[in-house]
Amino acid sequence: MKIDMPMTRPGQVIGLLGGSFDPPHAGHVHISREALKRFGLDRVWWMVSPGNPLKAHGPAPLARRMAACREMLDHPRIAVTDIEAQLNTRYTAETLRRLQALRPGVRFVWLMGADNLAQLDKWQDWHEIVGRVPLGVLARPGQRISARMSKAARIYDFARLPGRASRCLGRREAPAWCFVNVPMMALSSTRLRSGGAWPRGD
């Protein structure tokens, strides 16, 4: 099966920002730009998921969300991909496993907001995720303390890089993670949906 994904070169460091992007918004662009700078990444891929196993209700159709992402983005180093749908993977650990097999010369970094670090221990095979790729954690409104005190942060405290070393993250062997504070935008897809900015119809 041929997998359509952005071009890569061996040795590149690529940040993976997974999510439903339901809808995409300026906050996604903001943290992607910050991740490029803070973690010394060559590229960022938006991995638009078919659905989130932790959410009770499914997102808008994938094609609609992909189109909205592409319309929003205007950056040569940020790409939109539906790689999880193509691979038919449901969980992040499985997706990473397949990506590393498909692109063995590429170094991947999993990007997440601090809110996701706070609940990482609820993810399927989360220890495998931490053991496979470095984690780049970007602060989001109201989540700094809960993220730093989370189960994942406490268990993997030994693997944490100080913020001043953040640009080295992509060259570290997992487990490794780094928490950086960024100028914060109080935007969320949930708020946009509830405010009527993203109608649920096709």
Side-chain angles (χ1 to χ4, degrees), residues 9 19-20 39 53 57 63 66-67 86 129 137 141 164 174 176 187 197 200:
R9 296 192 311 273
S20 57
F39 299 127
H57 303 289
M66 290 283 290
Q86 294 185 65
I129 296 170
V137 185
R164 63 181 179 276
L187 285 172
R200 299 301 283 173

Side-chain angles (χ1 to χ4, degrees), residues 76-200:
R77 294 166 59 198
I78 306 174
V80 178
T81 176
D82 61 351
I83 187 71
E84 287 182 305
Q86 294 185 65
L87 295 173
N88 195 29
T89 54
R90 181 170 170 80
Y91 297 105
T92 299
E94 185 183 7
T95 300
L96 292 173
R97 203 179 305 142
R98 296 286 301 279
L99 274 177
Q100 288 177 325
L102 287 166
R103 294 290 187 270
V106 174
R107 304 185 70 91
F108 292 106
V109 174
W110 186 259
L111 303 174
M112 63 172 62
D115 55 333
N116 280 325
L117 179 64
Q119 60 161 353
L120 183 60
D121 61 292
K122 296 179 174 61
W123 292 23
Q124 179 85 11
D125 298 324
W126 70 278
H127 286 291
E128 180 181 349
I129 296 170
V130 180
R132 280 193 171 275
V133 295
L135 308 180
V137 185
L138 299 112
R140 290 185 60 179
Q143 296 289 343
R144 293 177 179 177
I145 294 176
S146 60
R148 286 175 167 164
M149 299 300 293
S150 67
K151 181 176 180 179
R154 286 184 279 110
I155 290 175
Y156 288 98
D157 182 66
F158 70 93
R160 180 179 176 182
L161 274 67
R164 63 181 179 276
S166 63
R167 291 185 63 83
C168 302
L169 180 66
R171 302 294 174 185
R172 293 296 184 96
E173 295 300 323
W177 64 283
C178 187
F179 185 105
V180 296
N181 293 310
V182 298
M184 295 187 291
M185 299 181 69
L187 285 172
S188 75
S189 296
T190 302
R191 183 177 299 177
L192 291 173
R193 289 195 303 271
S194 64
W198 181 252
R200 299 301 283 173

Side-chain angles (χ1 to χ4, degrees), residues 17-74:
L17 184 65
S20 57
F21 296 91
D22 186 34
H25 53 73
H28 293 126
V29 179
H30 173 65
I31 64 171
S32 299
R33 288 176 175 270
E34 289 292 327
L36 282 167
K37 292 187 300 184
R38 301 297 185 94
F39 299 127
L41 307 175
D42 296 304
R43 298 283 189 275
V44 168
W45 292 0
W46 284 11
M47 297 205 315
V48 185
S49 66
N52 184 339
L54 294 181
K55 293 184 178 180
H57 303 289
L62 179 60
R64 180 185 176 199
R65 291 179 285 127
M66 290 283 290
C69 287
R70 289 181 172 130
E71 183 177 345
M72 171 162 286
L73 273 178
D74 182 21

